[in-house]
Amino acid sequence: MAQVIGFIGLGIMGRPMAKNLLKAGYPLVVHNRSRAPVDELVRAGARASTSPREVAAQCEVLVTMLPNSPDVEQVALGKDGIIEGARRGLIYVDMSTISPIVSQKVGKALAASGVTMLDAPVSGGEKGAIDATLSIMVGGDKAVFDAVLPIFEAMGRTITHLGPLGFGGFTKLANQIIVAGNLTALAEALTLAKKAGLDRDLTLTALAGGLAGSKCLEQKRSNYLANAYTPGFKIDLHYKDLGLIMESARALGVPLPTTAVVQELFNALRVKGRGGLDHSAVITLLEDLAGVSA
Ligand code: NAP
């Protein structure tokens, strides 16, 4: 019999990830703050639940995909939280991008109730979540990682155990430095090309074929061509990650000069009311500065 899996947080990423677990044959119990995505998952075959406590009481492995550290702390340790419903032996896998320090704190609190935690943030975007091709970066006990590997394999393609709890998170923060920097470089390059009068489609084709080619360019190409920035990955969430990156960098004594500038560009986008757009919309800010907005 396949393990019963609990899934909390059915947003842009959580919804398709949960659906892939159903497709792989796992019985699924789901919960989300708003009701609509729960109903969608129930139509796909999942069982609905009204609180994290109730989910925890019904499953052997519990996955969360929530926005930020305070959300994970509340769902795991707050009133009606996982800690109140968990049976000893529950494996808790948090796949959100949060502070690695908070992951370690939550893991320690849950361990006292016999719950083992892995942090397993992901990269690959909404498309990777839908196609089950995510890169999953895992921290925590290796034997527990081995036990839940088939569950990860139902959601991702590159699955890496990086070390103890929190190491998944540190890897994801490194990932987010690269993605934010890459999207900002793409934004500057495409704005220069636009002001010079170049055709965007041809420019992107030429860039994609050389050393400047990247997954960011491939995945965001249609956004740049349509000048449409529906998320995807929201600027608000990437700004949150940039904050986590700078916090960790300061704690570890690592200067990140380029990322600090990128963080301010993302801050400016939020000030302009664009926090709900896809992170590739950093190009709209550069176009504003260059006077070539659409
Ligand atoms: P999202 O669309 O905002 O989804 C978050 C979900 O969590 C929403 O459905 C929200 O419910 C639910 N939620 C929030 N607080 C809750 C609570 N206390 N109890 C139950 N449910 C709660 O965000 P997302 O894009 O899926 O991202 C989720 C995480 O994955 C973030 O940490 C993000 O940084 C990371 N990530 C995202 C991407 C991407 O491309 N989107 C890629 C890699 C990693 P409501 O419906 O009420 O809002």
Side-chain angles (χ1 to χ4, degrees):
M1 255 305 263
Q3 291 148 300
V4 178
I5 303 178
F7 205 111
I8 302 173
L10 302 168
I12 289 176
M13 296 295 283
R15 226 167 24 241
M17 289 163 72
K19 283 184 185 166
N20 283 330
L21 291 173
L22 279 174
K23 269 188 220 150
Y26 289 102
L28 203 66
V29 185
V30 296
H31 172 66
N32 190 66
R33 188 172 52 193
S34 64
R35 181 70 201 192
V38 172
D39 293 338
E40 187 180 327
L41 263 293
V42 168
R43 283 195 294 277
R47 206 161 63 219
S49 194
T50 55
S51 70
R53 177 174 56 78
E54 223 184 78
V55 176
Q58 297 178 64
C59 64
E60 295 154 89
V61 178
L62 197 161
V63 178
T64 51
M65 194 54 170
L66 297 161
N68 200 357
S69 310
D71 308 302
V72 170
E73 280 187 285
Q74 191 207 325
V75 164
L77 308 177
K79 185 172 164 354
D80 283 329
I82 294 167
I83 198 162
E84 292 185 7
R87 291 172 287 193
R88 296 192 81 75
L90 176 74
I91 297 172
Y92 170 42
V93 184
D94 177 40
M95 303 188 77
S96 330
T97 305
I98 69 166
S99 155
I101 310 296
V102 171
S103 298
Q104 289 163 351
K105 186 180 131 194
V106 171
K108 201 168 165 196
L110 288 170
S113 300
V115 177
T116 313
M117 177 171 172
L118 301 176
D119 69 319
V122 306
S123 182
E126 184 184 15
K127 184 168 172 13
I130 293 168
D131 298 344
T133 56
L134 292 168
S135 175
I136 307 179
M137 308 161 201
V138 190
D141 188 273
K142 176 71 165 58
V144 177
F145 168 80
D146 290 338
V148 296
L149 188 56
I151 293 174
F152 288 138
E153 284 169 343
M155 297 184 281
R157 185 177 289 158
T158 306
I159 299 146
T160 316
H161 181 256
L162 292 133
L165 183 63
F167 276 35
F170 282 121
T171 311
K172 171 68 187 185
L173 296 185
N175 181 87
Q176 293 303 76
I177 293 174
I178 297 167
V179 174
N182 195 341
L183 290 175
T184 304
L186 269 165
E188 292 192 354
L190 293 176
T191 301
L192 176 80
K194 184 174 183 176
K195 199 151 186 184
L198 284 157
D199 176 85
R200 183 158 283 178
D201 199 2
L202 289 174
T203 308
L204 283 164
T205 300
L207 294 177
L211 194 55
S214 68
K215 278 232 171 82
C216 284
L217 189 159
E218 273 168 41
Q219 281 204 18
K220 305 301 180 184
R221 182 185 181 114
S222 59
N223 292 6
Y224 296 131
L225 289 177
N227 199 34
Y229 300 98
T230 309
F233 187 56
K234 291 175 205 135
I235 283 175
D236 280 340
L237 284 177
H238 210 142
Y239 183 68
K240 173 263 299 182
D241 292 350
L242 289 162
L244 296 173
I245 289 162
M246 297 315 289
E247 192 183 293
S248 291
R250 290 205 179 97
L252 294 168
V254 183
L256 297 177
T258 305
T259 306
V261 172
V262 170
Q263 183 183 30
E264 279 311 291
L265 294 173
F266 278 61
N267 187 20
L269 284 156
R270 283 160 52 85
V271 171
K272 281 181 170 288
R274 299 179 197 169
L277 296 181
D278 187 71
H279 52 172
S280 53
V282 66
I283 192 172
T284 64
L285 187 67
L286 275 300
E287 287 176 343
D288 286 354
L289 293 174
V292 289
S293 305

